[in-house]
Amino acid sequence: AALRCDLPLPLELIAQRAAQLTWQQFKPQELSICMWAAYTLGVVDGRGASIRAVKRMLQHAAREIRVRGAEDFEARHLLNSAWALARWQRHCRLVGWQQECKDYVCRPALRILAE
């Protein structure tokens, strides 16, 4: 899948485009890189819209992992995905943002990634 971002776009538009493409079209490598990039951009750009977009992207990606599983993931992509989810949860708690991913989405995805 290609998001085709030639110019810097708001994260909300990128999240919408990824949802339109459906996460199934993303290879495990692309999915893990999207998760890592979303986390990194969300921490750097602390605006409300960006934070909500990061939460949305991570939740959709975690839901896809929960449904599809992680059999095709290489070890480094498992690590990237798990790291992005866990760090986002921790960062939101430390900063006091109410933008953590839902536990019923995040925990099963982390369990699948850990197996």
Side-chain angles (χ1 to χ4, degrees), residues 7-108:
L7 299 172
L9 293 173
L11 285 175
E12 187 60 34
L13 292 177
I14 295 171
Q16 285 176 353
R17 178 70 177 139
Q20 287 172 349
L21 287 172
T22 68
W23 288 102
Q24 296 97 346
Q25 293 182 6
F26 286 79
K27 296 176 188 170
Q29 175 184 1
E30 294 169 340
L31 188 63
S32 73
I33 290 170
C34 282
M35 293 172 76
W36 175 82
Y39 162 76
T40 304
L41 291 172
V43 169
V44 172
D45 185 3
R47 295 176 297 148
S50 296
I51 294 167
R52 286 188 297 277
V54 169
K55 175 186 175 182
R56 182 176 174 201
M57 287 181 76
L58 287 176
Q59 281 202 162
H60 281 290
R63 210 172 276 129
E64 181 60 30
I65 290 170
R66 188 182 70 189
V67 170
R68 183 169 65 176
E71 294 85 28
D72 299 339
F73 280 62
E74 294 176 22
R76 61 186 171 165
H77 304 309
L78 289 170
L79 182 63
N80 263 354
S81 301
W83 183 86
L85 282 173
R87 289 297 294 181
W88 181 252
Q89 297 296 85
R90 184 172 188 273
H91 182 73
C92 287
R93 288 182 189 129
L94 288 175
V95 176
W97 291 342
Q98 297 297 314
Q99 295 298 328
E100 294 177 57
C101 295
K102 305 286 187 218
D103 285 337
Y104 64 86
V105 173
C106 189
R107 286 183 183 159

